[in-house]
Amino acid sequence: MTAIAAPAQTSATTAGPSKTRNRVLWTLQILFGLFFIIASGLPKLVGQHDAVQSFRDIGWGEWFRYFTGVVEVSGGIGLLVPRLSGPAAAGLSITTVLAAATQVFLLHDAALAPFPLVLAVMFAWIAYERRASFATFTALLNR
């Protein structure tokens, strides 16, 4: 009597989807990181006219524009650093949810809220996929 063995999984078959997912994640992290550094955070920090006007409309003062710019640039940089990618994505997810709430409740322009909410979902997914970096990040903080 002979037994039929199930085909053994090789590392090539198990590494395929993981490798592809990792490439997709890094592509998104690079694109979003550059977007948040160059197109979103820096205009707030250098005082680009539209950014200044938006924050005047919010009515919380210039400090909030600078704070938001620093958060966005820091988050964008964090997306590009493997050890910080998960926490950075989680922070940007929260930031974009708050941006959507600001659009709806303070600027009274609900039509602009879906874009940051889509970003929030994307950042939550990146944070979930990069959850191992939270342990590394925590270890760095505890040194």
Side-chain angles (χ1 to χ4, degrees), residues 58-82:
I58 292 170
W60 287 7
E62 292 296 307
W63 72 270
F64 188 59
R65 175 174 56 90
Y66 288 116
F67 174 77
T68 303
V70 168
V71 167
E72 290 179 350
V73 169
S74 300
I77 292 169
L79 286 176
L80 305 176
V81 178

Side-chain angles (χ1 to χ4, degrees), residues 15-32:
S18 177
K19 204 180 241 187
T20 300
R21 184 173 56 234
N22 192 44
R23 286 182 181 159
V24 169
L25 286 165
W26 273 113
T27 300
L28 289 174
Q29 286 172 233
I30 290 168
L31 291 174
F32 287 148

Side-chain angles (χ1 to χ4, degrees), residues 47-104:
Q48 192 258 344
H49 176 71
D50 292 339
V52 171
Q53 188 58 49
S54 293
F55 280 84
R56 282 191 183 141
D57 293 345
I58 292 170
W60 287 7
E62 292 296 307
W63 72 270
F64 188 59
R65 175 174 56 90
Y66 288 116
F67 174 77
T68 303
V70 168
V71 167
E72 290 179 350
V73 169
S74 300
I77 292 169
L79 286 176
L80 305 176
V81 178
R83 291 182 175 186
L84 303 176
S85 60
L92 285 171
S93 184
I94 294 166
T95 301
T96 53
V97 167
L98 294 173
T102 299
Q103 288 294 333
V104 173

